[in-house]
């Protein structure tokens, strides 16, 4: 499934239509689908806010009749959660302070596009988090209501206690202790519901629970009912909240003779039967709890992932029985290196984990190095044979910002795998600490060097995705997509390795590399009898490159490739920003018999204006419309109207990001010519789609 950022619904307040279009292009070039509306008056803003949902307000500081301060005041008055960013010509700390006091989120000089994009991305992320929080709060209220109903109808005796006093008890709990009125029970401490001989045990038990916070702790004691009758009970406690207040949940059951057996069964279910250590299920429970504690108490812990190097070879050499003996001895060795405050578990055939909280990640890395050296120096005696083992260890920190348990385990595993990429550790036998910054996408500050190095090392690759004629005509079209391979040979999309505002020379180099490699592959593909045409994306820098058409003519002749086999695709935002250059670019390509397309169509403030000046053959409507037509009828009508207008002017229409069959009927009824998306095929290195099977 294609990863698509949600569409940004943008309000722009700018005296200049061209400058407003430039802001839309900036967001588009950063990889964000954008639907914009330019505010021209107080009435216009009022109608826009009341009739739509908006994600961002960009206002240029101006002295017009309707100023940004008035717009901000209206947003505040209507109590709308719309991040407001003031665009200034220069830095003005006094102006920034006054507008932020009035409720704006930030200010940014409009010329500093990199800084502006950082501000925009931050505010969109914050908005998404606020919306998610509101949804979760709603779900929480619903869950609490359901839990309350379940508590009241439960046959288990359940109560909630805060500072030793009852704050809630269900009917089963009151009946168990012989009380008729909840108000009466709420005046009685939990301690007074026990017989005198059990009260000291409860004090010690609750002290232990407050220190460990281990849910499910049990106490066998004697309860005293309101009628003075004593009952042997098992009390189970867990941390909880009731009515927004932290408290302790108490579950009371009659004491059973099989309690010891049940505890034994529980222990076995959490145990790895071969080594006697904890199993993966138990580790994940403890890791989830540790992450929660780290968030609540701002503590730091650590997780170590210990993998035996060359385990498959060892298993083949020692056999199953011998491998089992090795694993038992290895587990015993790990137990000697850890203490009781740590959780040691076997998580797969050859992998073990150590969890500790609190513990600094460097301390865990030091422990890992001690384990690595001990294992490296140890000779395992397996049925008279000697086996030597090495381990690769990955360490991940547990902080208040830690991800979910499965993702944190993945971090430790990633660090473990990274050991082999270190010089001198090709076979493992090392320790690596996970650094989140190493796995984030390239940022604008280092992308120039990264792109240059990738070009020099030929670390770019082409992928091809089919574009299908929805009317069933047997044409073969693909779009060529470029990916850069990072230092770990992972694909990076252009949105991630090219910053929104350039760099210009590098963009031209990449465009020419893509065109040249595509022409070579297409020439070979067509020589096998295929009448295939390719869509090629070009950047704004190539639109301005006056030497491109001459260079392309030479390349086409050298490959003996007809011009109409290539369709050059420019983005709507680029055509908008460089209208004269785009018009000339399309004209020179048509002279070479190439076709021209415009992509991401429909998001500009006046999308049809470009088509009056730039002669294109194909129009690819923005993918955000594909998402929205599946959600509301208004978007369906908008797309249908857009397609009809385009086709009346002789343009062939393409809808991208088709992810499922359910949208096809809508696109057919709208009269769309071509479709593209993962429903047909994901981008692949070869042009191998069976167009005859559509």
């Amino acid at each position: 499934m294609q990863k698509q950022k949600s569409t940004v619904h943008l309000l722009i307040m700018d005296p200049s239509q061209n400058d407003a279009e430039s802001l839309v292009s900036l967001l588009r070039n950063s990889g964000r689908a954008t639907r914009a509306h330019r505010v021209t008056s107080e009435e216009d803003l009022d109608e826009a806010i009341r009739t739509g949902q908006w994600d961002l307000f960009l206002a240029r500081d101006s002295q017009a009749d309707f100023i940004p301060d008035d717009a901000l005041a209206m947003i505040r008055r209507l109590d709308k959660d719309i991040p407001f960013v003031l665009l200034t010509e220069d830095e003005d700390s006094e102006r920034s302070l006054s507008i932020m006091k009035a409720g704006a989120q930030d200010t940014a000089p409009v010329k500093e596009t990199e800084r502006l994009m950082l501000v925009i991305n931050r505010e969109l992320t914050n908005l998404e988090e606020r919306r998610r929080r509101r949804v979760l709060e709603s779900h929480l209220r619903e869950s609490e209501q359901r839990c309350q109903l379940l508590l009241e109808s439960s046959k288990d005796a359940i109560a909630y206690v805060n500072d030793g006093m009852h704050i809630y008890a269900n009917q089963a709990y009151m009946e168990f202790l012989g009380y008729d009125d909840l108000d009466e029970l709420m005046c009685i401490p939990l301690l007074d519901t026990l017989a005198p001989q059990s009260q000291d045990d409860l004090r010690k038990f609750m002290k232990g629970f407050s220190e460990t916070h281990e849910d499910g702790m049990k106490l066998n004691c004697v309860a005293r009912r309101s009628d003075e009758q004593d009952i042997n009970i098992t009390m189970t406690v867990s941390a909880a909240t009731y009515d927004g207040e932290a408290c302790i949940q108490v579950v009371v059951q009659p004491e059973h003779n099989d309690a010891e057996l049940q505890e034994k069964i529980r222990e076995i279910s959490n145990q790895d039967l071969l080594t006697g250590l904890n199993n993966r299920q138990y580790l994940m429970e403890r890791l989830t709890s540790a992450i929660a504690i780290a968030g609540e108490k701002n503590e730091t812990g650590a997780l170590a992932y210990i993998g035996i190097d060359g385990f498959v070879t060892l298993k083949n050499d020692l056999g199953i029985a011998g491998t089992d003996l090795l694993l038992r001895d290895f587990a015993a060795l790990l137990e000697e290196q850890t203490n009781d405050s740590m959780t040691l578990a076997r998580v797969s055939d050859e992998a073990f984990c150590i969890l500790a909280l609190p513990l600094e990640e460097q301390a865990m890395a030091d422990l890992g190095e001690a384990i690595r050296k001990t294992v490296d120096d140890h000779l395992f005696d397996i049925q008279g044979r000697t086996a030597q083992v090495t381990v690769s260890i990955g360490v991940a920190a547990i902080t208040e910002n830690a991800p979910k348990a499965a993702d944190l385990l993945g971090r430790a595993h990633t660090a473990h795998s990274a050991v082999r990429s270190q010089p001198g550790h090709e076979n493992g036998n090392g320790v690596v600490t996970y650094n989140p910054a190493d796995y984030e996408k390239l940022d604008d500050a280092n992308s120039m060097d990264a792109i240059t190095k990738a070009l020099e090392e030929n670390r770019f690759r082409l992928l091809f995705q089919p574009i299908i004629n929805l009317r069933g005509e047997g044409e073969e079209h693909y779009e060529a997509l470029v990916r850069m391979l990072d230092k770990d040979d992972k694909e990076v999309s252009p949105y991630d390795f090219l910053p929104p505002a350039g760099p210009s020379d590098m963009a031209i180099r990449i465009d020419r590399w893509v065109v040249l490699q595509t022409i070579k592959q297409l020439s070979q593909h067509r020589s096998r009898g295929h009448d295939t045409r390719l869509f090629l994306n070009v950047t704004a820098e190539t639109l301005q490159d006056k030497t491109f058409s001459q260079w392309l003519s030479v390349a086409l002749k050298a490959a003996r490739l007809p011009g109409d086999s290539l369709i050059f695709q420019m983005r709507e935002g680029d055509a908008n920003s460089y209208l004269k250059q785009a018009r000339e670019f399309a004209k020179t390509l048509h002279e070479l018999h190439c076709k021209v397309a415009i992509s991401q169509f429909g998001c500009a403030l006046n999308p049809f204006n470009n088509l009056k000046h730039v002669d294109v053959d194909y129009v690819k409507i923005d993918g955000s419309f594909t998402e929205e037509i599946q959600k509301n009828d208004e978007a369906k009508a908008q797309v249908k109207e857009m397609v009809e207008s385009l086709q009346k002017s002789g343009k062939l229409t393409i809808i991208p990001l088709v992810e499922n069959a359910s949208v096809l009927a809508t696109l057919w009824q709208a009269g769309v010519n071509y479709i593209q998306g993962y429903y047909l095929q994901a981008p692949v290195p070869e042009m191998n789609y069976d167009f005859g099977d559509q």
Side-chain angles (χ1 to χ4, degrees):
M1 182 79 65
Q2 273 171 296
K3 291 181 71 176
Q4 172 84 353
K5 294 178 182 176
S6 59
T7 303
V8 177
H9 292 85
L10 174 66
L11 288 171
I12 300 177
M13 188 174 175
D14 197 312
S16 167
Q17 171 95 6
N18 290 337
D19 289 343
E21 292 281 12
S22 298
L23 291 172
V24 177
S25 297
L26 182 66
L27 267 75
R28 292 283 340 176
N29 293 344
S30 71
R32 289 188 176 274
T34 306
R35 205 71 51 73
H37 174 74
R38 178 168 165 253
V39 175
T40 56
S41 66
E42 183 176 355
E43 295 75 17
D44 182 26
L45 177 59
D46 184 73
E47 183 181 358
I49 290 178
R50 293 182 187 278
T51 58
Q53 185 181 50
W54 302 96
D55 306 313
L56 184 66
F57 196 123
L58 298 180
R60 188 184 291 262
D61 209 6
S62 65
Q63 300 300 318
D65 293 337
F66 185 50
I67 62 174
D69 304 68
D70 296 334
L72 178 58
M74 180 180 290
I75 292 172
R76 297 295 301 276
R77 176 169 56 81
L78 296 175
D79 197 23
K80 293 292 184 179
D81 186 5
I82 306 175
F84 188 100
V85 178
L86 182 71
L87 307 180
T88 60
E89 294 301 325
D90 301 296
E91 286 281 4
D92 186 341
S93 58
E94 186 176 338
R95 174 62 171 144
S96 298
L97 187 61
S98 67
I99 196 74
M100 291 175 71
K101 282 183 175 180
Q105 272 61 44
D106 208 340
T107 64
V110 71
K111 295 177 182 177
E112 296 184 18
T113 55
E114 294 181 13
R115 173 179 163 184
L116 177 57
M117 279 311 305
L118 289 173
V119 170
I120 288 172
N121 287 327
R122 181 196 68 206
E123 292 308 321
L124 290 174
T125 300
N126 290 346
L127 177 67
E128 184 179 351
E129 291 299 323
R130 290 196 298 274
R131 287 175 176 170
R132 184 182 293 117
R133 188 196 68 213
R134 287 194 285 265
V135 171
L136 292 176
E137 286 174 348
S138 175
H139 290 170
L140 177 61
R141 287 192 295 271
E142 293 174 4
S143 297
E144 287 176 339
Q145 290 171 1
R146 287 195 295 269
C147 286
Q148 185 68 34
L149 292 173
L150 289 172
L151 281 171
E152 292 171 359
S153 61
S154 175
K155 294 182 179 178
D156 292 328
I158 303 172
Y160 288 95
V161 175
N162 186 17
D163 292 335
M165 299 297 294
H166 291 90
I167 58 175
Y168 169 81
N170 67 356
Q171 189 63 32
Y173 186 91
M174 291 191 293
E175 290 177 358
F176 188 85
L177 293 178
Y179 291 91
D180 298 323
D181 188 357
L182 178 59
D183 291 336
E184 180 185 358
L185 182 63
M186 290 177 69
C187 298
I188 299 174
L190 177 65
L191 194 67
D192 289 350
T193 63
L194 299 188
Q197 65 267 30
S198 293
Q199 292 182 356
D200 283 341
D201 293 338
L202 179 64
R203 292 189 185 96
K204 295 175 183 176
F205 176 73
M206 284 301 186
K207 182 180 180 182
F209 176 73
S210 66
E211 293 172 353
T212 64
H213 292 282
E214 182 181 344
D215 286 345
M217 288 180 62
K218 296 181 183 295
L219 171 68
N220 293 324
C221 55
V222 181
R224 175 157 294 177
R225 286 168 47 89
S226 61
D227 57 7
E228 301 297 321
Q229 179 184 351
D230 289 349
I231 309 172
N232 291 330
I233 62 167
T234 299
M235 181 184 293
T236 306
V237 298
S238 304
T241 59
Y242 184 79
D243 200 18
E245 186 176 1
C247 59
I248 298 173
Q249 177 181 278
V250 177
V251 181
V252 174
Q253 296 173 313
E255 188 176 34
H256 296 293
N257 295 329
D258 61 354
E260 186 176 341
L261 176 61
Q262 290 177 353
E263 181 63 22
K264 193 68 177 176
I265 291 173
R266 188 185 68 83
E267 289 179 6
I268 293 174
S269 68
N270 290 328
Q271 191 177 70
D272 176 62
L273 298 181
L274 176 63
T275 62
L277 301 180
N278 298 305
N279 60 16
R280 182 189 181 99
Q281 174 185 329
Y282 182 77
L283 174 79
M284 298 308 286
E285 291 174 357
R286 300 300 303 152
L287 183 55
T288 299
S289 176
I291 292 170
I293 292 172
E296 292 171 4
K297 297 188 175 182
N298 199 25
E299 289 186 351
T300 298
L303 177 70
Y305 185 100
I306 305 167
I308 299 175
D309 297 322
F311 183 74
V312 174
T313 303
L314 275 172
K315 194 171 185 179
N316 291 337
D317 188 35
L318 298 175
I320 294 176
T323 304
D324 287 350
L325 291 174
L326 174 70
L327 289 170
R328 289 194 190 100
D329 291 348
F330 183 80
L333 196 67
L334 291 180
E335 285 187 293
E336 293 174 3
Q337 299 292 316
T338 55
N339 57 48
D340 293 340
S341 66
M342 299 176 177
T343 299
L344 176 61
R346 183 185 178 205
V347 294
S348 68
D349 286 351
E350 77 281 13
F352 299 76
C353 280
I354 299 173
L355 167 65
L357 182 84
L359 187 74
E360 295 294 329
E361 63 177 347
Q362 185 56 51
M364 182 64 86
D366 293 341
L367 174 61
E369 178 57 31
I371 291 173
R372 184 206 64 76
K373 189 175 186 307
T374 300
V375 173
D376 194 22
D377 294 340
H378 189 80
L379 298 177
F380 291 88
D381 185 9
I382 309 299
Q383 296 175 331
R385 298 176 58 188
T386 300
Q388 287 185 286
V389 172
T390 62
V391 292
S392 295
I393 302 175
V395 175
I398 304 171
T399 67
E400 74 279 1
N401 201 35
K404 294 179 180 178
D407 293 331
L408 190 66
L409 181 62
R411 285 185 173 187
H413 180 266
T414 298
H416 150 269
S417 301
V419 170
R420 293 171 180 79
S421 64
Q422 293 187 319
H425 293 273
E426 290 76 10
N427 296 318
N429 196 21
V431 181
V432 168
T433 299
Y434 182 89
N435 181 359
D438 292 340
Y439 299 92
E440 294 177 354
K441 68 179 184 180
L442 296 171
D443 59 31
D444 297 350
N446 64 13
S447 59
M448 176 72 85
D449 293 337
I451 296 168
T452 303
K453 193 171 183 181
L455 279 171
E456 291 171 353
E457 297 176 357
N458 198 29
R459 283 192 286 107
F460 280 85
R461 65 181 297 194
L462 288 176
L463 301 177
F464 301 93
Q465 188 172 39
I467 297 176
I468 305 301
N469 191 317
L470 196 56
R471 305 295 150 181
E473 298 173 17
E475 302 172 338
E476 294 188 13
H477 288 90
Y478 290 92
E479 180 174 357
L481 304 166
V482 65
R483 297 289 185 266
M484 189 179 83
L485 301 179
D486 65 13
K487 57 185 176 63
D488 298 319
D489 286 335
K490 294 180 180 177
E491 291 183 1
V492 184
S493 77
Y495 284 136
D496 290 340
F497 68 74
L498 278 179
S504 57
D505 293 341
M506 196 60 66
I508 291 174
R509 286 182 61 186
I510 294 172
D511 279 352
R512 292 201 177 193
W513 182 92
V514 170
V515 172
L516 203 57
Q517 297 302 318
T518 302
I519 285 177
K520 290 178 182 178
Q521 292 196 39
L522 182 59
S523 179
Q524 295 173 3
H525 186 69
R526 286 173 67 97
S527 69
R528 294 191 287 269
H530 297 279
D531 185 22
T532 303
R533 292 173 172 80
L534 278 182
F535 283 78
L536 295 172
N537 294 287
V538 291
T539 60
E541 290 73 23
T542 293
L543 294 183
Q544 303 169 71
D545 182 7
K546 295 180 180 179
T547 65
F548 179 78
S549 59
Q550 186 178 354
W551 173 86
L552 176 63
S553 176
V554 174
L556 287 172
K557 289 176 182 177
R560 297 181 179 179
L561 200 64
D564 64 1
S565 63
L566 297 180
I567 304 155
F568 287 89
Q569 188 168 257
M570 67 183 83
R571 291 180 294 192
E572 179 185 67
D574 294 338
N576 217 13
S577 300
Y578 305 97
L579 195 55
K580 290 183 180 179
Q581 294 91 332
R583 180 177 63 187
E584 189 62 28
F585 180 81
K587 180 181 176 182
T588 55
L589 287 182
H590 280 137
E591 290 172 356
L592 296 175
H593 304 290
C594 296
K595 302 293 184 182
V596 181
I598 191 165
S599 65
Q600 301 178 347
F601 182 82
C603 291
L605 295 175
N606 186 2
F608 284 90
N609 183 59
N610 290 330
L611 302 184
K612 295 177 183 177
H613 304 279
V614 184
D615 182 16
V616 301
D617 306 281
Y618 298 83
V619 173
K620 183 185 288 185
I621 294 172
D622 189 73
S624 60
F625 286 96
T626 314
E627 179 184 354
E628 292 192 2
I629 60 177
Q630 300 175 71
K631 298 179 180 177
N632 63 73
D633 294 334
E634 184 180 343
K636 289 181 183 178
Q638 189 177 2
V639 169
K640 187 174 182 179
E641 181 182 351
M642 195 183 298
V643 169
E644 288 175 353
S645 298
L646 289 168
Q647 291 179 343
K648 284 179 182 177
S649 60
K651 316 300 181 189
L652 294 170
T653 54
I654 306 169
I655 291 286
L657 297 182
V658 176
E659 309 287 1
N660 53 67
S662 61
V663 73
L664 292 180
T666 301
L667 299 180
W668 173 271
Q669 292 168 3
V672 172
N673 298 103
Y674 297 89
I675 58 172
Q676 175 186 6
Y678 273 51
Y679 173 68
L680 303 170
Q681 188 183 68
V684 293
E686 304 292 335
M687 289 179 272
N688 57 8
Y689 186 77
D690 185 1
F691 287 88
D693 191 34
Q694 47 183 300

